[in-house]
Amino acid sequence: MNTAEYYPYRSAAARELCFRYLDDQAARVWPVVSEERMVPTTFGETFVRVSGPPGAPWLILLHGAGATSLMWAPNIEALSREFRTAAVDQIGEFGKSVCTRPARSLEDLIAWLDGLIGQLEARERVSMAGMSYGGALAAQYAVRFPDRVEKLVLLAPGATVLRPPAEFWARILVLAIARQRGLRAFFRWVFADMAAKDPARIDEIAEQLALSARSVERHRVPMPPVMSDGEWGSLRPVTLFLAGEHEVIYSAEKAVRRLKRVAPQVTARIIPGAGHDLTFAQPEMVNEQILEFLKSGQRKRAAKL
């Protein structure tokens, strides 16, 4: 398929409008000095915000559906102190990546991610952290390429552990009917803790999703499946799973119970005072958990030297 130079946007003007919006957002919320890179892949040039000390271990950051690399603003400063972070705009979605070949399947997205990682100057295995859809994608990558992943952090990965409940799909159906008029109500439900702490943030998220809906071509997003018991049990990269106690895409308690049963090698924890908004509602706690997990092996290796 030949794509317009502005794909996935509907027009060059729509792309420019969204790029200005994202640049304005970055100037307002991104707290660290970063190098903005366009990394070549077979699916197009991928936009990556690179931060942290050169030579430090790589940590690839994959955002949730409808978001961009800016989703990591509450976490990036802490994560970049000792890691070389690469916050990615997913190819073919709202963001600043340039898509010349649409990713039509999960295998396409895995190939894109593998090509992206290969273009970074990582000399060893990389660690990965993914939120929601990004977590589901990171898990699928780790299943296929376990030798390329040092550690894996899954933050409320979409599906992956459990299927969403009926209420979630019912609310999605209502949102599909109401469209932009239903965005704020939907996100107040999904991000209840954030809505209580910072109501204006819900308005910003709804504004971004509305802009994306107006600007990006409609397309089918490949949905990663729930992983089987065998896949979880054989998952080789050292893995941390975090979910908020008020999670609505599935029961956090049931997800932890399943992981303890089928994948005892996975560290599974529940974050209090948060739901699907855990990186925003409890950033300090999430950052602490991630860094403790990522640095644990480093301390052990240093002790052996």
Side-chain angles (χ1 to χ4, degrees):
M1 172 184 176
N2 293 324
T3 60
E5 64 174 357
Y6 45 77
Y7 185 85
Y9 294 99
R10 297 176 186 270
S11 66
R15 180 186 63 182
E16 292 307 310
L17 175 65
C18 292
F19 279 19
R20 287 197 302 272
Y21 169 86
L22 291 167
D23 287 341
D24 289 344
Q25 289 290 304
R28 187 172 65 85
V29 306
W30 198 250
V32 296
V33 175
S34 300
E35 175 190 352
E36 297 184 354
R37 295 188 189 179
M38 298 300 295
V39 181
T41 75
T42 57
F43 291 84
E45 291 190 313
T46 299
F47 180 82
V48 180
R49 301 179 192 275
V50 177
S51 311
W58 278 95
L59 175 60
I60 312 300
L61 302 173
L62 303 178
H63 60 75
T68 70
S69 53
L70 294 175
M71 187 212 82
W72 297 101
N75 319 99
I76 195 66
E77 185 172 8
L79 298 180
S80 297
R81 287 176 190 145
E82 296 182 58
F83 291 88
R84 187 70 161 162
T85 56
V88 179
D89 279 1
Q90 184 175 314
I91 200 78
E93 303 295 331
F94 179 75
K96 296 186 72 174
S97 292
V98 177
C99 184
T100 57
R101 177 185 163 201
R104 300 192 176 280
S105 66
L106 181 59
E107 295 304 324
D108 281 349
L109 282 175
I110 297 298
W112 158 72
L113 184 55
D114 191 50
L116 172 67
I117 292 171
Q119 288 293 325
L120 298 173
E121 64 268 23
R123 297 179 178 84
E124 300 177 352
R125 294 183 295 178
V126 300
S127 292
M128 304 180 73
M131 173 65 203
S132 193
Y133 188 92
L137 184 58
Q140 292 293 325
Y141 183 85
V143 167
R144 290 162 174 77
F145 297 108
D147 292 334
R148 301 180 194 179
V149 180
E150 178 73 20
K151 290 190 175 184
L152 181 65
V153 178
L154 305 177
L155 305 173
T160 308
V161 186
L162 297 172
R163 292 182 178 85
E167 182 182 8
F168 176 82
W169 295 116
R171 287 180 179 268
I172 288 290
L173 179 60
V174 170
L175 180 60
I177 296 170
R179 303 206 174 200
Q180 294 184 22
R181 291 181 290 108
L183 282 173
R184 284 171 175 78
F186 180 76
F187 287 118
R188 281 194 293 269
W189 175 69
V190 175
F191 303 140
D193 291 277
M194 181 199 300
K197 291 183 176 181
D198 186 5
R201 181 65 182 142
I202 299 297
D203 293 336
E204 292 175 4
I205 293 172
E207 175 189 350
Q208 177 174 306
L209 266 291
L211 176 62
S212 175
R214 294 193 304 269
S215 305
V216 175
E217 293 277 7
R218 288 190 180 183
H219 60 287
R220 177 182 171 275
V221 179
M223 297 303 297
V226 174
M227 287 168 51
S228 68
D229 290 356
E231 287 174 324
W232 275 114
S234 62
L235 187 65
R236 285 167 48 194
V238 183
T239 301
L240 171 67
F241 170 88
L242 297 178
E245 65 174 332
H246 303 142
E247 182 57 72
V248 296
I249 68 167
Y250 43 63
S251 164
E253 291 185 357
K254 289 181 179 179
V256 168
R257 285 202 300 269
R258 184 188 179 215
L259 290 176
K260 289 184 181 299
R261 176 173 56 84
V262 304
Q265 80 280 15
V266 173
T267 300
R269 296 171 180 161
I270 295 176
I271 299 295
H276 205 60
D277 50 12
L278 70 166
T279 59
F280 292 92
Q282 296 289 359
E284 294 84 5
M285 192 180 302
V286 169
N287 294 342
E288 181 180 358
Q289 294 278 345
I290 293 174
L291 289 170
E292 178 185 4
F293 169 75
L294 292 176
K295 293 163 63 176
S296 61
Q298 292 180 335
R299 289 194 294 265
K300 291 177 182 178
R301 284 195 296 271
K304 294 179 180 179
L305 295 178

